[in-house]
Amino acid sequence: MTRRRPVVAIDGPVGAGKSTVARALARALGFAYVNTGAMYRAVAIAARAAGIDPDGAAREAELERLLERIRIGFDGERITLDGRDVSAEIGDPAIGDLASRLSTIAAVRARMRDLQRAAGRDGGVVMEGRDIGTAIFPDAEVKFFLTADVNVRARRRHAELAARGATATFDEVREQLLERDRRDRERALAPLRAAADAIEIDSTGSGVEAVVERMRGRIAESTRAA
Ligand code: DC
């Protein structure tokens, strides 16, 4: 029997550089790239369009009905909702915040888990998110937990938003980032944390290429040892 190609999990907080690094790593390895945050964001777009109150008493039942009828498609960079390309819309910070709120709800996490496990089943994938190494693929061949100093993360996020034409100040961006991290870390279901066997990488003083090179080295070591 041939061993499946590896699943590489990359988890970490907002603005640690997961997407940039995961995308570059997938390209270098010839693996598929799956951004699980984008899937939660697609659910948030659908929930907002359906007028679901994320704090309402009926949210769980409403979301279950919504999840039954929406179709989320993903193919590398492109994410679709019922066949419509929502790749640009998901970058809206309000959608990121709503995605974080909705990600505390069991029905949402269960549906995302099924989609993500199906996407990684055959291996040969770099999957980034919050709970890939802990809950989605606890048996991933290689797990990374990517972090960076909070001010560096806020600066990156602020620059990204400014490039999109947003007017939020650095302090506002930093506050929102801390708030989202707190919610993602403190939720009861699959909270953001490093898996016990994850390799922690702090990207504070490093460029994308250096981080990707370090990861490639660790992947080569882990898969050779296996
Ligand atoms: O990675 P991102 O910022 O696009 O993710 C948006 C939100 O989705 C994040 O704040 C929490 C949730 N999320 C999650 O709970 N689990 C994941 N694997 C990925 C994202």
Side-chain angles (χ1 to χ4, degrees):
M1 198 183 101
T2 50
R3 224 167 59 84
R4 74 166 190 199
R5 294 200 297 161
V7 169
V8 178
I10 304 183
D11 293 305
V14 179
K18 295 187 299 294
S19 299
T20 316
V21 162
R23 198 181 291 129
L25 181 65
R27 196 176 307 129
L29 296 171
F31 282 14
Y33 161 58
V34 178
N35 176 348
T36 62
M39 297 183 193
Y40 282 91
R41 286 169 183 260
V43 173
I45 289 174
R48 183 166 73 175
I52 295 176
D53 175 359
D55 300 313
R59 62 183 197 167
E60 186 103 38
E62 287 171 348
L63 282 162
E64 268 173 33
R65 274 199 300 279
L66 180 82
L67 289 163
E68 267 166 31
R69 73 175 166 76
I70 61 173
R71 255 182 319 113
I72 296 171
F74 49 92
D75 172 19
E77 297 301 308
R78 222 171 75 92
I79 180 116
T80 59
L81 178 63
D82 296 328
R84 184 170 67 88
D85 190 335
V86 291
S87 317
E89 224 177 305
I90 58 171
D92 177 350
I95 286 298
D97 193 65
L98 182 57
S100 169
R101 286 169 191 278
L102 297 176
S103 74
T104 62
I105 297 166
V108 175
R109 298 211 73 82
R111 174 67 186 280
M112 297 298 101
R113 179 198 59 215
D114 294 348
L115 280 176
Q116 291 159 16
R117 287 198 177 147
R121 194 177 38 217
D122 299 329
V125 66
V126 177
M127 193 173 288
E128 59 139 317
R130 301 291 188 288
D131 63 340
I132 309 307
T134 52
I136 304 299
F137 282 103
D139 61 345
E141 281 76 4
V142 193
K143 301 175 185 178
F144 295 105
F145 194 80
L146 193 61
T147 59
D149 174 80
V150 65
N151 289 322
V152 171
R153 296 195 284 120
R155 250 199 315 276
R156 288 179 188 156
R157 187 41 61 112
H158 185 235
E160 256 171 52
L161 293 176
R164 291 170 51 94
T167 54
T169 65
F170 172 81
D171 286 342
E172 286 164 353
V173 170
R174 190 176 183 279
E175 268 319 297
Q176 286 160 7
L177 178 147
L178 286 171
E179 170 64 19
R180 190 140 68 90
D181 279 351
R182 190 194 52 73
R183 191 185 306 113
D184 293 346
R185 283 181 202 280
E186 291 180 2
R187 68 175 178 229
L189 301 170
L192 168 66
R193 61 178 173 78
D197 53 349
I199 300 158
E200 295 208 26
I201 296 185
D202 186 328
S203 74
T204 303
S206 314
V208 176
E209 272 178 37
V211 174
V212 170
E213 275 319 298
R214 246 176 99 187
M215 287 180 165
R216 289 185 71 181
R218 298 304 297 261
I219 292 167
E221 272 171 37
S222 311
T223 47
R224 215 178 13 246

